[in-house]
Amino acid sequence: MASSVLHQVLQSTCLFLLIIIVNCSPPEEPIKCSSRNTNCVITNSYGSFPDRATCRARNVAYPTTEEELVSVVAEATKARRKMKVATRYGHSIPKLVCPDGDNGLLISTKYLNRTLAIDVQSMTMSVESGVTLRQLINEAAKAGLALPYTPYWWGLTIGGLLSTGAHGSTLWGKGSAIHDYVVELTIVSPGKPEEGYAKVRRLDEHSSELDAARVSLGVLGVISKVTLKLQPIFKRSITLQVKNDSDLADQAVSFGNKHEFADIAWYPSQRKAVYRIDDRVPSNRSGNGLYDYIPFRSTLSLELTVVRTTEENQESASDANGKCLSAKVITSSLQTLAYGLTNDGIAFTGYPVVGYQNRLQSSGTCLDSREDSMITACPWDPRIKGEYFFQATFSIRLSVVKSFIQDVQKLVTLEPKALCVLEQYNGVLMRYVKGSSAYLGKDEDALDFDMTFYRSKDPMTPRLYGDILEEIEQLAVLKYGGLPHWGKNRNVAFDGAIKKYKNAGEFLKVKDVYDPMGLFSSEWTDQVLGVKGSVTLVKEGCALEGLCICSLDIHCAPSKGYFCRPGKVYKDARVCSLVKN
């Protein structure tokens, strides 16, 4: 108990220290090659894919211009080599960047990172696909423009976030997904011999294929250039309000229509929800607020090690009380510090926080760093003993959101401490997503649920209350037809998901035209898109890693350490559960 109290003190102290920490070791490259740019291994920024696979490629190319990119694609197409696109930081969790086998080619957009044009009159901005969200936000602001809705993490590239359908939170205007603000897009795909083995397609809003290219999972080719429709820069006013979650099921349905940038952070075991009351205000409103989200800041590596070690000890001892205590300390500290909001860029003096869009919409200062020998780092940096987690993220139609939330609340009533494991990672983030015309986008208004939770370094070690988390995951994807976030999730969220997209067939038709040999596809993307095989892996321990959905099958047999019975939720995390109809 003494060590647990010490941990809480250290955790609280660290949250306050984060205010003054400005340096950290920058993230490693996601691609590492043994000999110059050959014999390469690629991973994501977290150092691990959901199935813990090691993804290899024969070599990597770093084109610096569209012309060089065309040459790279042409050469690989002529040789019939598999290709995959890699980004600067690699923040997609699933295996989107993995080519098949060891002979594949990685095409990095790291140096395709230029702003090409800004037209203030038409309010458009053209960038290369390797430009990060932070670059785009800053360059637009200099011209008096803003991208109205964005993800909250600015370390994503434009090509990467389009390919995975990344979004912010709103039901207003065209919605929160950046792909719906694309007015032109250039993509380089394999070509025929008479086309020089590479074909450059320039799509605009009049092109029927743009809705396929808006969210492509990288299987149509390499995005070279993107033109986005922006708006005049504006100010926002943010107030975060903590309320009891007793009426959350009703509030969640309507809250997104009341406030332009609304979102909700839900702490189910604490029976609390934090509502983001966030709207545009006149530009003459005083305030120069800044959002520097605390969990995205540089963190002392020693503190991260203490926190992770404590988590592991809590897991091994099934210490639910310890987890709930940790969760309360973390969430209360974040609330006290306004999650990183300040009224003037220095101090938080109270709500509302008013400031310009470019200072409030996104953050990620742990990327802005000089080498400090790993004294500090991004919290998830795999080179230190820090965060190691799963993410389950799915969008549920607004028409059934109320019932889903009520089902989760019933599970909390049955096991009140179960979801403290989510609150240690700041609870369930709920963001609003508007229906889109993109073939692999959300086809109707929805609420996105983002859950982050502990992952063991040992794939055969069960998690505390893992069965409850699996029950929620299965409720979302099976009972309520939740759509997966393409850049997050474990394999089970993608199993059969393509059947939920009404325009999936149209997307596959475009895929066959753009890349008939499937050079930009892999076994994994073929499984996800329903082209061939299943994304679930049937092997011992598969349910623990989210690689399979439990059924009365051999992989859940008692001899393997698992047992299922329809309609029953088990408290023992060594077993897996089936969702009730």
Side-chain angles (χ1 to χ4, degrees), residues 491-533:
N491 281 23
V492 293
F494 300 114
D495 187 35
I498 195 64
K499 298 176 184 177
K500 302 174 186 177
Y501 293 83
K502 64 181 182 182
N503 289 313
E506 296 302 312
F507 177 84
L508 293 176
K509 288 178 184 177
V510 175
K511 175 182 176 296
D512 289 341
V513 172
Y514 279 40
D515 185 18
M517 292 186 288
L519 299 182
F520 279 91
S521 295
S522 65
E523 180 184 25
W524 191 83
T525 58
D526 281 347
Q527 292 167 347
V528 169
L529 292 171
V531 174
K532 183 179 180 181

Side-chain angles (χ1 to χ4, degrees), residues 216-264:
S216 68
L217 310 190
V219 300
L220 301 184
V222 189
I223 296 174
S224 171
K225 183 176 77 172
V226 176
T227 300
L228 294 160
K229 181 70 172 180
L230 307 182
Q231 297 178 3
I233 198 164
F234 56 89
K235 279 189 169 183
R236 289 161 60 174
S237 172
I238 302 174
T239 296
L240 301 179
Q241 186 177 74
V242 182
K243 296 175 61 177
N244 185 279
D245 75 349
S246 58
D247 63 346
L248 177 64
D250 289 310
Q251 289 291 334
V253 177
S254 60
F255 187 64
N257 289 311
K258 296 176 181 177
H259 302 284
E260 184 174 2
F261 304 95
D263 72 23
I264 305 170

Side-chain angles (χ1 to χ4, degrees), residues 458-516:
D458 179 0
M460 295 303 293
T461 299
R463 299 180 314 281
L464 182 61
Y465 296 119
D467 55 334
I468 302 293
L469 294 173
E470 288 167 11
E471 184 76 1
I472 294 171
E473 193 173 30
Q474 293 179 41
L475 278 168
V477 300
L478 298 179
K479 182 176 180 179
Y480 290 101
L483 297 178
H485 188 304
W486 295 116
K488 301 182 182 180
N489 284 304
R490 311 188 303 169
N491 281 23
V492 293
F494 300 114
D495 187 35
I498 195 64
K499 298 176 184 177
K500 302 174 186 177
Y501 293 83
K502 64 181 182 182
N503 289 313
E506 296 302 312
F507 177 84
L508 293 176
K509 288 178 184 177
V510 175
K511 175 182 176 296
D512 289 341
V513 172
Y514 279 40
D515 185 18

Side-chain angles (χ1 to χ4, degrees), residues 241-246 248 264-275 327-328 331-332 335 339 409 423 427-428 430:
Q241 186 177 74
V242 182
K243 296 175 61 177
N244 185 279
D245 75 349
S246 58
L248 177 64
I264 305 170
W266 183 23
Y267 308 130
S269 285
Q270 295 182 47
R271 308 297 173 96
K272 293 179 181 178
V274 179
Y275 292 82
K328 289 179 180 178
T331 56
S332 64
Q335 288 170 22
Y339 299 88
Q409 289 175 324
E423 294 165 13
V428 182
M430 299 157 64

Side-chain angles (χ1 to χ4, degrees), residues 413-456:
T413 300
L414 290 172
E415 195 61 72
K417 299 175 184 177
L419 297 190
C420 291
V421 297
L422 299 179
E423 294 165 13
Q424 287 183 303
Y425 292 85
N426 201 30
V428 182
L429 176 61
M430 299 157 64
R431 294 178 293 163
Y432 292 92
V433 188
K434 192 169 183 177
S436 169
S437 63
Y439 293 159
L440 297 186
K442 317 302 181 187
D443 56 14
E444 62 179 281
D445 295 355
L447 189 58
D448 186 87
F449 292 79
D450 198 326
M451 305 192 309
T452 303
F453 48 95
Y454 174 90
R455 185 183 191 185
S456 174

Side-chain angles (χ1 to χ4, degrees), residues 123-142:
M123 292 189 292
T124 59
M125 181 174 181
S126 298
V127 298
E128 292 180 319
S129 64
V131 164
T132 64
L133 180 57
R134 185 192 184 191
Q135 288 175 266
L136 187 147
I137 288 170
N138 289 340
E139 290 301 311
K142 290 176 185 177

Side-chain angles (χ1 to χ4, degrees), residues 96-375:
L96 292 168
V97 296
C98 296
D100 288 332
D102 297 342
N103 192 45
L105 169 68
L106 297 172
I107 303 174
S108 173
T109 61
K110 179 179 179 180
Y111 300 117
L112 293 171
N113 61 353
R114 289 177 289 273
T115 298
L116 301 173
I118 300 177
D119 189 328
V120 177
Q121 291 297 112
S122 65
M123 292 189 292
T124 59
M125 181 174 181
S126 298
V127 298
E128 292 180 319
S129 64
V131 164
T132 64
L133 180 57
R134 185 192 184 191
Q135 288 175 266
L136 187 147
I137 288 170
N138 289 340
E139 290 301 311
K142 290 176 185 177
L145 299 173
L147 186 61
Y149 314 104
T150 64
Y152 299 168
W153 166 252
W154 67 29
L156 307 173
T157 65
I158 300 306
L161 62 83
L162 291 181
S163 296
T164 57
H167 57 85
S169 182
T170 197
L171 293 175
W172 295 33
K174 290 186 175 182
S176 60
I178 292 183
H179 56 73
D180 285 322
Y181 296 84
V182 173
V183 293
E184 292 182 5
L185 184 148
T186 301
I187 189 167
V188 181
S189 304
K192 300 175 183 177
E194 59 268 27
E195 296 170 326
Y197 293 99
K199 187 173 180 64
V200 180
R201 292 179 169 88
R202 306 193 190 280
L203 310 176
D204 60 27
E205 291 181 292
H206 303 293
S207 305
S208 60
E209 296 163 354
L210 182 61
D211 279 333
R214 290 183 193 274
V215 183
S216 68
L217 310 190
V219 300
L220 301 184
V222 189
I223 296 174
S224 171
K225 183 176 77 172
V226 176
T227 300
L228 294 160
K229 181 70 172 180
L230 307 182
Q231 297 178 3
I233 198 164
F234 56 89
K235 279 189 169 183
R236 289 161 60 174
S237 172
I238 302 174
T239 296
L240 301 179
Q241 186 177 74
V242 182
K243 296 175 61 177
N244 185 279
D245 75 349
S246 58
D247 63 346
L248 177 64
D250 289 310
Q251 289 291 334
V253 177
S254 60
F255 187 64
N257 289 311
K258 296 176 181 177
H259 302 284
E260 184 174 2
F261 304 95
D263 72 23
I264 305 170
W266 183 23
Y267 308 130
S269 285
Q270 295 182 47
R271 308 297 173 96
K272 293 179 181 178
V274 179
Y275 292 82
R276 185 186 187 113
I277 301 168
D278 189 347
D279 294 288
R280 297 191 195 211
V281 293
S283 294
N284 60 4
R285 178 79 64 86
S286 63
N288 192 32
L290 178 70
Y291 188 37
D292 185 8
Y293 185 49
I294 290 172
F296 291 168
R297 297 184 191 177
S298 306
T299 308
L300 291 168
S301 298
L302 176 60
E303 166 61 17
L304 292 168
T305 298
V306 171
V307 172
R308 177 66 187 187
T309 300
T310 303
E311 265 193 302
E312 291 173 340
N313 292 339
Q314 289 169 343
E315 287 283 331
S316 63
S318 297
D319 183 10
N321 290 329
K323 283 189 172 287
C324 290
L325 179 59
S326 296
K328 289 179 180 178
V329 169
I330 291 168
T331 56
S332 64
S333 297
L334 287 172
Q335 288 170 22
T336 299
L337 296 171
Y339 299 88
L341 284 166
T342 55
N343 298 83
D344 56 3
I346 300 173
F348 173 70
T349 56
Y351 293 118
V353 173
V354 177
Y356 282 102
Q357 165 72 344
N358 62 300
R359 290 170 58 85
L360 295 175
Q361 66 190 105
S362 188
S363 64
T365 52
C366 74
L367 295 180
D368 306 334
S369 54
R370 294 169 293 188
E371 182 60 59
D372 69 358
S373 301
M374 302 304 298
I375 294 173

